[in-house]
Amino acid sequence: MSRIEIKQEEALSIKVTHLIEAGANCRVDLYFSLPNEMGINPKSFDEQEYFHSGILGRRSYYSEGLHIPLVQSRFVSLNKRTIEEFRLYLNLFAYQFAIAVENDAGELRHLNEAEVFYPAVVELARQIESTLKKFRRNEPADEKWKSYFENADNYLSWFCEQQLLQLMSARPRSSGFTELRDEIFQVCRAEAQYRLDRKYNSHGTVQDANRISNKMLLLRRLIQRGVVLKEEQRTLGTWLKKATTGFATGLVMLVVSALILKAQGVLSGLTIAMVLTLAVIYAFREVFKDDIRNAMWRRIQRGRPRWSRNLSDTTSGQSVARQVVWLDFMRPQDLPKAVDEILQRRHRQNRIDAEILHYGVSTKVSKEEFLTGYNMLQEQISFSLVPFARYLERGRVKVYQERDSKVSYESAERRYQVNVVVALREGRKPTRYARYKITMNRSAIVEITRSQVPEGVLAIEAGQIASPMENFSPVAQAAQDTKQSG
């Protein structure tokens, strides 16, 4: 069964993570309800530009749990594997491990309480240290295989150290937790010394931030080989748009020709009046030609997919999945009944007029060409909310209070709420829904909460997608430890 969840990624972006099984045929639709006061509408917002600049996607093979390939019995016997198979499964482990660390570290950055933050980061550091030790015990002896291992080992060591240091650079300020901080920094020092002892990077590369950063970027691209799927994307309806343009131009010219013939019948000969009349006719043609074409094109493409995408294996070149993508503004009357019912389920005072921006993706995954040993794809789609925040009002307001004949005030920021309805349909099964509320201001997302859907509407299960780090969640673990100690 496909699973999907929405989380905050950066200050003004959200990430939609979707797991799709091999052979599945599913469709995901996201309906963004944008209040009119945000100033976002079809006239001020270009969907095509936003698709190419504000929506980033990544599709890759996925397996639940860490499942270290070189530790499992089917990968320990290396002499039974080809070098390409070894590299493929090695890359799959390294890629998933890096994504797991990145996701868990991203969650920890939102913790503001030192009592929760430091134990959580320590647990993450211990998990990283333990996993890297298991990984390094299975280093191959063959030199041809060893170079691939060293590339992955070098990158993972540096990346994990950077994630921990980044967490500590923005840590909540507190005079306590000295032992926990020392333990975290000790893991970072150990990884730096490990790379130095293995002579993974030259002294000049280590000392130059540009060189080490670019080298690690190259290593990350190398471990993505065979794991992240290659995308071939094309725009749909190109010829239909050309036909629409031709038809609109012909329609306008038909009217223009009729007006010219009428003018010739009224005004005989080439006179100043005739010249001025023709100038006015051609001026109206230029003014209304684009408006008519755009109106016709919006009408024709309404509800039609805008792009198609072919996902193929970078190693074999075989097609693994095909996708069709929608992105457009929807009229309220065109909304599915269940989505409209979910959006209308709000307090009366919170019901305001809104524009609906719809993003949809239909995926059909092949079963025959799927990577052997794995039966799931992970799709991660990042939506930037920066274009939405661009139109928001700036500044703060003051809220006054009276206590004991004294007046005081607190500053309050202007916040907006974007409702997102997720619809998930798998094959011929009934569509399931989920609703999220994104509270944001001009500079950041304040909160993302999930709301209940109305009775009678099938809901998407609220369970989270398991982290590749053996279902480990440092945030939940730290919160549980804090609760028990309290």
Side-chain angles (χ1 to χ4, degrees), residues 451-465:
S451 304
Q452 297 292 331
V453 297
E455 294 183 5
V457 177
L458 291 176
I460 299 175
E461 292 79 3
Q464 291 186 346
I465 294 176

Side-chain angles (χ1 to χ4, degrees), residues 223-465:
I223 67 173
Q224 288 179 353
R225 176 177 170 79
V227 179
V228 177
L229 302 178
K230 181 182 178 182
E231 301 180 10
E232 296 178 3
Q233 186 170 281
R234 66 186 184 93
T235 303
L236 299 177
T238 303
W239 287 104
L240 182 60
K241 188 173 183 178
K242 292 180 178 179
T244 303
T245 302
F247 181 78
T249 303
L251 185 63
V252 171
M253 288 304 299
L254 182 65
V255 176
V256 169
S257 299
L259 292 175
I260 291 175
L261 292 176
K262 184 71 174 176
Q264 287 179 341
V266 176
L267 303 171
S268 59
L270 185 62
T271 62
I272 295 178
M274 182 66 177
V275 172
L276 292 175
T277 302
L278 292 177
V280 171
I281 292 174
Y282 279 106
F284 273 100
R285 186 198 70 169
E286 293 301 321
V287 169
F288 292 106
K289 181 179 66 175
D290 292 339
D291 292 339
I292 294 174
R293 182 195 62 193
N294 293 337
M296 291 179 61
W297 177 236
R298 277 199 171 275
R299 179 76 178 180
I300 291 173
Q301 73 170 356
R302 184 180 298 160
R304 291 177 178 269
R306 305 284 294 273
W307 299 273
S308 67
R309 187 183 294 128
N310 181 53
L311 307 177
S312 57
D313 190 299
T314 55
T315 303
S316 64
Q318 297 293 329
S319 177
V320 174
R322 294 184 181 276
Q323 292 185 324
V324 180
V325 184
W326 290 259
L327 182 64
D328 54 3
F329 282 94
M330 294 189 69
R331 299 179 302 175
Q333 58 267 33
D334 294 334
L335 278 176
K337 184 178 179 181
V339 175
D340 185 56
E341 184 179 353
I342 293 172
L343 290 175
Q344 292 299 326
R345 190 186 181 186
R346 286 177 285 180
H347 295 295
R348 188 176 300 274
Q349 63 269 25
N350 292 337
R351 295 180 182 177
I352 57 177
D353 294 333
E355 293 283 350
I356 305 297
L357 180 62
H358 166 244
Y359 174 87
V361 55
S362 177
T363 307
K364 186 174 183 180
V365 184
S366 172
K367 197 169 185 177
E368 291 76 14
E369 304 300 337
F370 217 78
L371 180 64
T372 305
Y374 295 89
N375 61 350
M376 198 171 292
L377 291 182
Q378 182 184 63
E379 180 177 33
Q380 294 181 319
I381 310 174
S382 298
F383 292 87
S384 173
L385 303 187
V386 173
F388 300 166
R390 186 181 305 147
Y391 301 98
L392 303 186
E393 292 182 5
R394 195 185 288 272
R396 293 174 176 266
V397 297
K398 295 179 180 180
V399 179
Y400 294 88
Q401 296 181 355
E402 182 271 328
R403 290 181 182 177
D404 300 328
S405 300
K406 295 181 180 180
V407 178
S408 61
Y409 68 87
E410 294 182 7
S411 295
E413 62 183 2
R414 184 74 171 92
R415 293 182 176 181
Y416 299 81
Q417 187 178 96
V418 176
N419 285 272
V420 181
V421 177
V422 181
L424 174 62
R425 186 178 66 195
E426 302 172 277
R428 297 183 179 180
K429 296 180 181 179
T431 305
R432 294 175 290 143
Y433 300 88
R435 177 190 169 197
Y436 293 85
K437 292 189 292 185
I438 303 175
T439 305
M440 60 180 293
N441 54 34
R442 189 179 175 89
S443 59
I445 295 173
V446 178
E447 184 183 28
I448 298 179
T449 58
R450 178 165 175 166
S451 304
Q452 297 292 331
V453 297
E455 294 183 5
V457 177
L458 291 176
I460 299 175
E461 292 79 3
Q464 291 186 346
I465 294 176

Side-chain angles (χ1 to χ4, degrees), residues 95-300:
Y95 175 79
Q96 280 196 229
F97 180 70
I99 293 297
V101 173
E102 190 175 29
N103 290 340
D104 288 337
E107 292 185 17
L108 296 182
R109 291 190 192 100
H110 301 300
L111 299 179
N112 297 320
E113 299 178 1
E115 294 78 7
V116 179
F117 176 82
Y118 286 105
V121 179
V122 167
E123 289 296 329
L124 177 61
R126 290 173 181 172
Q127 187 72 9
I128 288 173
E129 188 177 32
S130 173
T131 305
L132 288 177
K133 285 181 179 178
K134 293 178 183 178
F135 171 63
R136 289 161 182 166
R137 290 194 199 112
N138 297 274
E139 179 180 357
D142 194 322
E143 289 297 328
K144 290 187 297 184
W145 305 60
K146 198 171 184 178
S147 61
Y148 296 120
F149 174 87
E150 289 178 346
N151 285 339
D153 189 29
N154 186 15
Y155 175 76
L156 291 178
S157 174
W158 180 84
F159 181 77
C160 292
E161 177 197 4
Q162 290 296 307
Q163 290 295 311
L164 292 175
L165 291 177
Q166 185 178 2
L167 283 171
M168 296 305 291
S169 69
R171 66 185 183 273
R173 300 303 174 185
S174 176
S175 57
F177 307 100
T178 303
E179 294 183 0
L180 297 183
R181 283 201 298 266
D182 290 342
E183 184 174 350
I184 297 168
F185 286 129
Q186 184 58 39
V187 173
C188 297
R189 296 187 194 105
E191 288 304 314
Q193 186 62 42
Y194 172 80
R195 297 193 303 274
L196 186 63
D197 295 340
R198 295 292 298 252
K199 298 180 181 179
Y200 279 156
N201 310 296
S202 66
H203 178 74
T205 300
V206 174
Q207 297 300 318
D208 190 333
N210 290 321
R211 290 177 62 182
I212 190 67
S213 176
N214 285 296
K215 179 177 181 179
M216 293 305 165
L217 180 61
L218 175 61
L219 293 182
R220 183 170 182 119
R221 289 175 180 171
L222 290 177
I223 67 173
Q224 288 179 353
R225 176 177 170 79
V227 179
V228 177
L229 302 178
K230 181 182 178 182
E231 301 180 10
E232 296 178 3
Q233 186 170 281
R234 66 186 184 93
T235 303
L236 299 177
T238 303
W239 287 104
L240 182 60
K241 188 173 183 178
K242 292 180 178 179
T244 303
T245 302
F247 181 78
T249 303
L251 185 63
V252 171
M253 288 304 299
L254 182 65
V255 176
V256 169
S257 299
L259 292 175
I260 291 175
L261 292 176
K262 184 71 174 176
Q264 287 179 341
V266 176
L267 303 171
S268 59
L270 185 62
T271 62
I272 295 178
M274 182 66 177
V275 172
L276 292 175
T277 302
L278 292 177
V280 171
I281 292 174
Y282 279 106
F284 273 100
R285 186 198 70 169
E286 293 301 321
V287 169
F288 292 106
K289 181 179 66 175
D290 292 339
D291 292 339
I292 294 174
R293 182 195 62 193
N294 293 337
M296 291 179 61
W297 177 236
R298 277 199 171 275
R299 179 76 178 180
I300 291 173

Side-chain angles (χ1 to χ4, degrees), residues 11-29:
L12 273 173
S13 67
I14 61 173
K15 177 183 287 185
V16 179
T17 304
H18 183 209
L19 298 183
I20 315 170
E21 294 183 344
N25 186 3
C26 64
R27 174 167 173 173
V28 176
D29 292 279

